[in-house]
Amino acid sequence: MTLERHDQALSHAENAVRLREDGRARSLALGRITLADIHIRRSDLDAAISVGNDLLSTSPTLGSVRVVRQLDDLRKLLEPHKGYRPVRDYLARFGEARRARMLLLADIITPRGDAP
């Protein structure tokens, strides 16, 4: 994806988050995941971590399979950058938040690849 397309995607994602700030927690979380993803792909790790921190505070008890799966994808994007201390610190907080969400979803979520 070109820088111009990344800029356009970033603008759309920021707008989507702005539109959802007062409303639905799941939609807001999904918008923030998209925004963090775009920042990572633009190599703007500090912005990605900032959005990620907002994401972790977005209804920590939100029990959505879709959100958990997209958060896992986001973690995979950040893993190659864990040599950067803010990323490493964020991934530690992320792991704690993920464990809490998985407890909420224990009866309904199956690991990827185990679905019928």
Side-chain angles (χ1 to χ4, degrees):
M1 189 181 278
T2 67
L3 183 57
E4 182 179 328
R5 286 209 180 254
H6 277 222
D7 290 344
Q8 290 172 346
L10 179 62
S11 177
H12 287 292
E14 288 172 339
N15 192 42
V17 167
R18 233 183 338 274
L19 291 171
R20 289 173 177 84
E21 284 188 30
D22 295 327
R24 303 160 41 201
R26 188 180 98 149
S27 293
L28 178 58
L30 293 170
R32 285 183 171 154
I33 290 168
T34 299
L35 186 55
D37 179 287
I38 293 166
H39 282 305
I40 294 165
R41 293 175 192 279
R42 294 179 75 215
S43 298
D44 191 349
L45 297 178
D46 291 324
I49 296 305
S50 177
V51 172
N53 286 326
D54 290 342
L55 180 59
L56 291 181
S57 67
T58 301
S59 189
T61 59
L62 177 64
S64 165
V65 173
R66 184 173 171 199
V67 168
V68 168
R69 295 244 163 103
Q70 287 192 17
L71 283 170
D72 286 345
D73 292 341
L74 187 63
R75 180 187 45 79
K76 289 174 190 170
L77 281 176
L78 282 168
E79 281 289 329
H81 305 285
K82 65 184 173 186
Y84 183 50
R85 183 173 185 117
V87 170
R88 190 170 50 252
D89 293 346
Y90 174 77
L91 287 172
R93 287 190 309 277
F94 174 90
E96 294 166 11
R98 185 186 188 284
R99 282 187 288 281
R101 286 181 201 245
M102 290 306 289
L103 286 174
L104 290 172
L105 298 170
D107 292 337
I108 60 172
I109 196 168
T110 59
R112 285 189 177 172
D114 291 353

